[in-house]
Amino acid sequence: GTSRRGVAIRQGEHRFVGPDNGIFSLVLNGEPPDELVELDRSQYWRTSSPSRTFHGRDVFAPVAAHLAAGRSIRDVGTPIDALERLHWALPIADEQGIQGWVVHVDHFGNCITNITRRAFEESRRGRNMKCFAGNGILREVANTYGDVAAGEPLVLFDSSDYLEIAVNSGNASQLFDIQRGAAVNVLFLE
C-alpha cells in the first residue's frame, strides 16, 4: 500500500524480486545490479489489481515464477537506473583491532556480527586476539562449534564468513548478555 516500487534484479546468474525499500543493498553489497527493472507489467502478476497489503502473493511470487520459467528480466518490467539503498555502520579497523556490531541474534542465541573474515584476517596478520562481546572475553577463533566442549563459548566464522559469537549447545546472547546492536571489539596482540 505504500509508494515504493516492486523490482526485479539480475546479478550474475541470480534473480531477485521484491520491494525497492533498500533490502537489496544487503544482497548486492554496494555493487550495482547487472540488470534492474520496475515491475510495471501487470500481465506477469497474479491479478492486474493486486492487494495493497499482499504484493508478495500478487506481484512478487508470480513474477519470480515467470523468471524461473525462463522469462528475461526485461520481459517483466521497465529498466530503471537505481535502487533505494540502506546505509548501515561498517566495522572500524585500525592497527590494534576491529570494532563491529552484532547485526543479528538467531533463535539459538548465536550473535552474528558485521565483521567479515576478510577484514578480520587483513587486520589480524597472524597475531593472537581477544574478542570482547557483552560481558565475555574470548581468546581463540574456532573452525566449528564442535571445537569446544558443550556449553563452552567460541568465536567462529559462520557460513557467510561473518564473525559469530556462539556457545556450543548453548545461548551466547544469554550467557554474555548480548543483544542486536551490541559492540564487539577484537583486539590483536603482538
Side-chain angles (χ1 to χ4, degrees):
T2 66
S3 61
R4 65 98 181 101
R5 308 178 284 198
V7 295
I9 297 168
R10 182 182 64 79
Q11 184 73 1
E13 297 301 313
H14 302 284
R15 310 291 183 273
F16 301 95
V17 177
D20 185 17
N21 62 5
I23 194 70
F24 292 113
S25 299
L26 300 170
V27 173
L28 297 170
N29 202 26
E31 297 295 321
D34 295 332
E35 281 187 279
L36 171 63
V37 298
E38 179 177 359
L39 301 178
D40 57 0
R41 298 187 182 152
S42 62
Q43 66 266 35
Y44 297 105
W45 304 351
R46 179 176 172 265
T47 174
S48 60
S49 301
S51 163
R52 295 184 56 78
T53 60
F54 208 169
H55 282 181
R57 175 196 66 198
D58 293 344
V59 178
F60 304 146
V63 168
H66 283 289
L67 293 173
R71 291 259 180 223
S72 76
I73 291 284
R74 290 182 184 256
D75 286 343
V76 299
T78 302
I80 55 176
D81 294 326
L83 287 166
E84 291 293 321
R85 294 180 53 126
L86 287 177
H87 300 283
W88 58 89
L90 297 173
I92 301 166
D94 62 21
E95 184 60 30
Q96 286 79 39
I98 300 176
Q99 180 181 21
W101 291 269
V102 173
V103 295
H104 178 66
V105 177
D106 69 17
H107 65 278
F108 298 108
N110 300 319
C111 304
I112 295 88
T113 74
N114 64 345
I115 300 171
T116 64
R117 181 190 304 264
R118 180 178 177 186
F120 180 91
E121 293 301 341
E122 285 175 0
S123 294
R124 184 179 192 183
R125 297 187 309 275
R127 297 180 286 177
N128 291 325
M129 69 102 193
K130 282 186 184 178
C131 177
F132 299 87
N135 60 23
I137 302 172
L138 298 114
R139 290 175 166 61
E140 292 185 32
V141 178
N143 291 312
T144 70
Y145 299 102
D147 285 351
V148 300
E152 291 296 315
L154 64 145
V155 171
L156 75 159
F157 288 94
D158 68 12
S159 59
S160 297
D161 268 351
Y162 284 93
L163 188 78
E164 176 180 316
I165 293 95
V167 173
N168 184 6
S169 300
N171 187 311
S173 175
Q174 290 176 352
L175 179 65
F176 294 127
D177 192 25
I178 300 172
Q179 288 82 36
R180 189 175 59 144
V184 174
N185 293 292
V186 179
L187 178 65
F188 296 119
L189 310 168
E190 296 299 327

